[in-house]
Amino acid sequence: MMTRYDHICLTVGDLDRSIAFYERYFGLKVVRRDAPHKGAVVESMTGVAGGELLAAFLTDGRFVLELTQFTAGQGARTTGSPANEVGSPHIGFACDDVRAIHAKWSAEGVRFHADPIVSRTRNTWSVMMSDPDGILIELREGPALTPEQFALAGA
């Protein structure tokens, strides 16, 4: 049996705000926005009793991001998980010039955790930032894996 990547899903506090953020800064486009989900299907898929949610799917033609916002059954957390908490996600995006993006987006109010640093494993620049809900995003010059590392997987 074979599996392959399909999508990543993030739970956000305000679906419209998050859509606007990922469209503006990462060029993702909404290609599907679902009617509200509720009832037994939501409860069985999420494990949240009484859960109701909104969902939208965004893509750039390769990467698929699903955003969900609970409208009922929402947890107490109001921002993303700390990086050291089990289950804390981060999304990595490749870019051409981390330092230029850091300067431009910082001036626009995007929250970065520090100035860009040189990665010791790849000798390229990277930086961590947060989306409007505090979910961690890594920007890196170039992909996470080299062509040789992809080849190890037979890709």
Side-chain angles (χ1 to χ4, degrees):
M1 182 177 346
M2 180 117 177
T3 61
R4 60 180 164 62
Y5 164 79
D6 184 63
H7 70 281
I8 186 169
C9 179
L10 301 175
T11 300
V12 299
D14 181 319
L15 189 61
D16 291 326
R17 177 187 66 188
S18 293
I19 287 170
F21 176 84
Y22 285 99
E23 285 180 332
R24 177 175 181 175
Y25 292 107
F26 297 100
L28 301 177
K29 301 293 180 213
V30 174
V31 294
R32 181 176 133 201
R33 189 156 181 170
D34 294 351
H37 295 277
K38 61 184 176 180
V41 172
V42 171
E43 291 181 8
S44 67
M45 292 291 290
T46 65
V48 177
E52 297 180 11
L53 60 87
L54 304 171
F57 288 79
L58 297 85
T59 187
D60 63 1
R62 297 176 312 272
F63 173 76
V64 179
L65 176 63
E66 177 185 8
L67 300 174
T68 60
Q69 174 190 341
F70 277 82
T71 56
Q74 185 175 8
R77 183 180 303 282
T78 57
T79 61
S81 300
N84 63 346
E85 187 172 304
V86 173
S88 175
H90 90 255
I91 304 173
F93 287 94
C95 61
D96 294 330
D97 190 337
V98 166
R99 291 167 289 174
I101 289 174
H102 176 265
K104 182 178 186 312
W105 292 0
S106 290
E108 295 176 11
V110 172
R111 187 171 48 133
F112 286 88
H113 294 262
D115 290 333
I117 61 167
V118 174
S119 167
R120 60 186 174 85
T121 58
R122 296 289 306 275
N123 198 30
T124 58
W125 290 92
S126 60
V127 69
M128 295 298 283
M129 60 182 283
S130 292
D131 81 354
D133 289 298
I135 297 169
L136 296 173
I137 299 170
E138 179 182 6
L139 298 179
R140 170 197 307 265
E141 287 180 15
L145 299 177
T146 65
E148 295 80 17
Q149 290 166 328
F150 275 115
L152 293 174

